[in-house]
Amino acid sequence: MPALPTVPLVDESTRESTREAVGVRELHASEVPWITIVWNDPVNLMSYVAWVFRRHFGMDAATAQRRMMQVHTEGRAVVAEGNREAMERHVEAMHEYGLWATLERSPR
Amino acid sequence: MRGFIAVDGGFEALVEPEEARVLTSLAAQLQSLLGEAADDEALSEEDAAVARLLPDAYRDDEDAAAEWRRLSRRALAERKAGFAARFAAALAEATAASETTRILIDEAGGLDWVRAIGDLRLVLAERMGLHDEGDEPSEEDEGAAELYHWLAWMQDDLVGVLDAGWGE
């Protein structure tokens, strides 16, 4: 999965001088991380879901298996993180595969 | 039907005419449903199977979900109809045949197949009222249930050969 951006979100209460000192810059809206979530459904085969994760996200077999089991047992799993456009593309790809996926802002 | 094996140029299966006809008929119904759904957003509210084939991309943001539907829903429906159409096209010869027919698909064809089969299973599950983990088809849905399990076998079989082909 893509790593988080190294730039932290800005705390509005942070004093300007401190922010300058540590080199913090405000994140543009397009940089705020979003996540792609895959939801459990009783239809799609476990073998198929794990294969889709390997194929589309390039996950290794163990990671894909773990994420698939997380969807299965917890009802959902975060499968990608990044900017909104990238997450929309992932969601669309998951829908093409018949998986139930949504995107939302990453909780912080 | 004999499941898929990797051969030169793709994956090969053996299909009986009756099986091919059933699959072709299911694919035609799926294409017709997707065609209707592409032009009619309200169908997602009337038919849970459509909502499942073309889900919302946003869960808790109705504005974003509506915008997404406006921009992406039709194209998704059309792509899915394309998967079903190519799945049916690959079966055309076997459908017209009077004996077991060899079907050869390449990797792109394999992707069409697993997706079309998956979509067929989503629709069948809705029609049989399987909504939650552990729901079982009722006795009067025996025929649909048989198809549903057969399609599962076929998808699993195909994922296995696609997976093996992927690493080469």
Side-chain angles (χ1 to χ4, degrees), chain A residues 59-96:
Chain A
M59 291 180 192
D60 61 55
T63 307
Q65 187 70 13
R66 212 162 46 239
R67 287 278 183 281
M68 178 279 290
M69 283 310 295
Q70 196 185 353
V71 172
H72 188 67
T73 58
E74 295 173 28
R76 53 171 269 173
V78 175
V79 290
E81 194 164 29
N83 69 39
R84 184 174 183 169
E85 278 181 14
M87 296 308 103
E88 287 194 334
R89 285 196 298 276
H90 285 319
V91 164
E92 198 157 22
M94 291 301 101
H95 291 179
E96 284 185 6

Side-chain angles (χ1 to χ4, degrees), chain B residues 58-115:
Chain B
Y58 292 86
R59 194 174 158 96
D60 300 316
D61 183 341
E62 185 41 44
D63 289 346
E67 176 75 353
W68 170 271
R69 285 195 296 270
R70 193 175 67 75
L71 294 174
S72 306
R73 189 176 177 282
R74 168 186 287 272
L76 178 62
E78 287 170 354
R79 284 198 301 279
K80 281 181 177 253
F83 306 150
R86 291 191 293 276
F87 170 64
L91 287 159
E93 196 189 324
T95 301
S98 54
E99 53 195 20
T100 309
T101 304
R102 173 179 167 271
I103 285 179
L104 179 69
I105 53 175
D106 60 10
E107 185 168 339
L111 283 178
D112 290 331
W113 277 55
V114 288
R115 287 165 157 162

